[in-house]
Amino acid sequence: MKAITNINIVLIDSVIYDGVILVDDGVIGEFGEREKIQIPEGAEIIDGGGNYAGPGLIDIHSHAGGDIWFYEDAQKAAEFHLHRGTTTILPTLYYNMTQEELLDGIETIKEASKTGAGRIIDGLYMEAPYLNPKYGADVENNRWALGIKKEEYQPLIDAAAPFAKVWCIAPEREGIERFVDDVKAKDEDAILAVAHSEASPDEIFRFIPQGLILATHHTNATGDLIKYPEVRGVCVDEAVNFSDDIYAELIVDSRGIHVDPFMIRLVLKIKGKERIILISDNCAFDGPVPEEGDYAGVTDLNFDHAGEIAGSKLSLDQACKNMMKHTGASLSDVFRYASDNPSLLLRMDNMGSIKKGNIANIVIVNDKMDVQKVMFQGEFIDN
């Protein structure tokens, strides 16, 4: 039995000050104000230092960690994120990989999920194979631009499902319906995400009954359908903003380059707190950081060799800090965006909040969201 004392407990819409959290056999037990919680005799006492305890972060979309792709060394990439407060992660595989590379990556990540820091891996996020080849990083290396063929995609489905929790699609691509049908035949619970797309609202909404409830890095790598030159078009971003069914992923970097701070606030106003999910979209492309222009000296973005933005160098705790900076969000808010909402999307009923009976994945932070300690499955990891 462990007792975390001298801690402020962050809940979904409130904070318990000067609290206690009991942890037993890897599970959260009683918690509450200090005078209301009886600490069992012999319990190990952990002083929270007057900091804040929230649920371990859940990163549903990350390609890499610490300049290492998950498909190359999933253990090291997972360790990078775990030490920064992420206790559940979906490694992401991208459309610039061949069928063989994707199959190898799937197996590598599956195997890594069984031991060590890799145990934070709880599935895959397939940002592949069939997105719109006009959009995204490293577009010149899209390996899946020439057509949707069952003999090419079925081995991926067979290898990844049901371990893959999310499958990205561009709904406008010819033949995408058959691909979706085959994904759902293998895993009826698979989540679909609209990604790298210029689909119309109608093309997107037809897939909602089949599980399209997520927008990949909202407002990034999306097109704009223009019917009349003088009239603003209605496309992916507008459809996502309109639909109450769809969660919006946001990459929130320090300068507000992926998503302008005003746009972040606008999306938040439209979607509400319940449909925002922060992601890292951490990548390990090794293109040089621009030496001049708007991106000069940026530290938390990633670039491909064409000089295009290619994901980020973020971890999810940094994304939370940036969300607080750009929107005035509270700790309760950012834990909602980076833990509770992802858990609801992924139907993870035993994590995502400080709740009796949940897995004891807990991150202790200061009031600026700087990570102090990380508990994974009831044990504090070494810093």
Side-chain angles (χ1 to χ4, degrees), residues 62-65 67-78 81 90-112 121 123-126 128 138 141 143 163 282-286:
S62 182
H63 301 261
D67 296 327
I68 298 170
W69 297 106
F70 267 100
Y71 65 80
E72 291 179 332
D73 192 333
Q75 285 290 345
K76 287 186 178 179
H81 289 283
L90 300 187
T92 304
L93 298 176
Y94 197 49
Y95 67 23
N96 62 354
M97 301 171 71
T98 65
Q99 183 198 67
E100 182 179 0
E101 289 169 339
L102 286 170
L103 291 171
D104 287 346
I106 290 166
E107 292 309 312
T108 294
I109 293 167
K110 276 185 178 179
E111 188 63 27
I121 297 170
L124 284 169
Y125 186 110
M126 296 296 293
D138 204 27
N141 290 316
R143 311 295 187 185
F163 189 64
N282 189 292
C283 287
F285 292 105
D286 57 357

Side-chain angles (χ1 to χ4, degrees), residues 53-292:
L57 306 179
I58 300 173
D59 192 350
I60 69 169
H61 184 160
S62 182
H63 301 261
D67 296 327
I68 298 170
W69 297 106
F70 267 100
Y71 65 80
E72 291 179 332
D73 192 333
Q75 285 290 345
K76 287 186 178 179
E79 188 172 339
F80 169 88
H81 289 283
L82 177 58
H83 281 87
R84 290 157 179 82
T86 295
T87 55
T88 304
I89 200 164
L90 300 187
T92 304
L93 298 176
Y94 197 49
Y95 67 23
N96 62 354
M97 301 171 71
T98 65
Q99 183 198 67
E100 182 179 0
E101 289 169 339
L102 286 170
L103 291 171
D104 287 346
I106 290 166
E107 292 309 312
T108 294
I109 293 167
K110 276 185 178 179
E111 188 63 27
S113 71
K114 299 174 184 177
T115 60
R119 291 175 296 154
I120 72 172
I121 297 170
D122 202 15
L124 284 169
Y125 186 110
M126 296 296 293
E127 200 174 5
Y130 297 121
L131 311 185
N132 190 313
K134 291 164 59 176
Y135 303 103
D138 204 27
V139 290
E140 65 274 16
N141 290 316
N142 186 325
R143 311 295 187 185
W144 302 84
L146 298 181
I148 297 177
K149 301 174 184 178
K150 184 177 177 68
E151 64 270 21
E152 294 178 351
Y153 71 67
Q154 191 63 51
L156 298 181
I157 296 173
D158 292 340
F163 189 64
K165 301 295 193 298
V166 177
W167 293 83
C168 295
I169 62 168
E172 71 273 22
R173 285 199 62 168
E174 183 177 355
I176 198 68
E177 296 89 349
R178 186 179 183 187
F179 172 74
V180 169
D181 287 342
D182 287 337
V183 168
K184 300 298 282 192
K186 189 76 173 184
D187 179 14
E188 62 181 9
D189 294 326
I191 295 164
L192 303 179
V194 57
H196 297 237
S197 171
E198 58 181 12
S200 69
D202 287 343
E203 287 173 321
I204 295 168
F205 294 161
R206 65 183 170 149
F207 287 105
I208 289 178
Q210 291 178 271
L212 195 158
I213 55 173
L214 183 63
T216 296
H217 42 59
H218 184 44
T219 76
N220 293 132
T222 54
D224 188 18
L225 293 177
I226 299 177
K227 293 183 179 180
Y228 311 103
E230 68 277 11
V231 177
R232 180 180 177 85
V234 177
C235 197
V236 178
D237 298 334
E238 291 80 12
V240 171
N241 284 342
F242 178 81
S243 175
D244 293 336
D245 295 304
I246 301 176
Y247 288 86
E249 296 177 2
L250 293 177
I251 307 170
V252 182
D253 54 65
S254 59
R255 292 195 194 174
I257 292 173
H258 274 95
V259 190
D260 184 275
F262 185 87
M263 179 62 76
I264 297 171
R265 296 191 289 270
L266 178 61
V267 172
L268 178 58
K269 182 175 182 178
I270 296 170
K271 297 297 293 179
K273 295 180 180 181
E274 297 80 10
R275 286 293 181 269
I276 301 295
I277 292 179
L278 296 180
I279 61 169
S280 70
D281 197 20
N282 189 292
C283 287
F285 292 105
D286 57 357
V289 177
E291 296 181 359
E292 55 186 31

